[in-house]
């Protein structure tokens, strides 16, 4: 991966999308830069109805939450009792700040008593990492290990 902006990386599909990003407008998603748009929003919205559309899913985040407090951290953050989620199962969730405002949404899967994976377009890893220690949990970024087109 090449570093395009400090702290952000080009996705594996950057070269191809850069050719079509005529206004050279980019947005950070997770640790990757993606085109903000390709020129005309109305055209982009209708184009898939008459042709094919591709989406770069490289920025789709994957974060592992593990340790003795992983279920407590996710339960408190996501307003959903993770102790009722069986191992090998997943559920849609959203997480909120202390005031109840929604920060993000995604899917959480349980891989063991103290092992969860959260996938989302923005895993909000800095926020989860900032409180993980208080719950006895650890957080690890795993999304930079894959790329994909939809």
């Amino acid at each position: 991966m090449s570093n395009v902006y400090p702290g952000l990386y080009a996705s594996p599909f950057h070269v191809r999308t850069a050719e079509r990003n005529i206004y050279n407008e980019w947005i950070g998603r997770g640790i990757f830069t993606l085109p903000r748009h390709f020129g005309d929003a109305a055209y982009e919205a209708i184009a898939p109805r008459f042709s094919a559309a591709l989406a770069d899913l490289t920025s789709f985040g994957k974060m592992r939450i593990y340790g003795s407090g992983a279920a407590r951290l996710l339960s408190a953050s996501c307003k959903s009792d993770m102790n009722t989620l069986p191992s090998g199962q997943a559920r849609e969730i959203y997480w909120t700040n202390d005031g109840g405002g929604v920060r993000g949404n995604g899917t959480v899967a349980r891989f063991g008593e103290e092992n969860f994976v959260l996938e989302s377009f923005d895993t909000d890893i800095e926020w989860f990492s900032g409180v993980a220690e208080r719950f006895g949990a650890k957080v690890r970024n795993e999304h930079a290990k894959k790329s994909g087109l939809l």
Side-chain angles (χ1 to χ4, degrees):
M1 292 187 294
S2 63
N3 196 313
V4 177
Y5 300 104
L8 295 176
Y9 296 89
S11 85
F13 310 107
H14 182 86
V15 173
R16 299 294 295 278
T17 56
E19 293 171 357
R20 288 153 183 81
N21 188 350
I22 59 175
Y23 294 106
N24 198 30
E25 292 194 24
W26 301 90
I27 187 168
R29 292 261 192 241
I31 63 168
F32 295 99
T33 56
L34 298 176
R36 183 180 300 274
H37 58 80
F38 289 99
D40 183 336
Y43 176 77
E44 287 182 40
I46 202 163
R49 298 186 187 281
F50 301 104
S51 62
L54 292 174
D56 182 350
L57 298 181
T58 301
S59 67
F60 197 80
K62 182 177 179 183
M63 174 176 63
R64 187 165 304 275
I65 301 106
Y66 60 101
S68 61
R72 284 192 312 276
L73 169 60
L74 287 167
S75 295
S77 303
C78 302
K79 311 296 188 254
S80 179
D81 186 0
M82 291 300 149
N83 292 311
T84 64
L85 181 64
S87 186
Q89 299 289 314
R91 74 169 60 138
E92 298 294 317
I93 51 97
Y94 65 94
W95 54 98
T96 63
N97 62 22
D98 291 338
V102 174
R103 291 188 57 96
N105 69 316
T107 302
V108 67
R110 188 173 204 159
F111 290 93
E113 188 66 27
E114 302 172 348
N115 187 4
F116 297 84
V117 169
L118 171 65
E119 291 197 3
S120 172
F121 276 106
D122 183 358
T123 58
D124 211 359
I125 193 165
E126 292 83 14
W127 186 76
F128 279 101
S129 296
V131 297
E133 190 174 312
R134 286 189 248 165
F135 287 87
K138 296 178 183 172
V139 175
R140 183 174 64 224
N141 180 356
E142 295 186 348
H143 79 279
K145 297 177 182 174
K146 65 177 182 177
S147 299
L149 285 176
L150 171 68

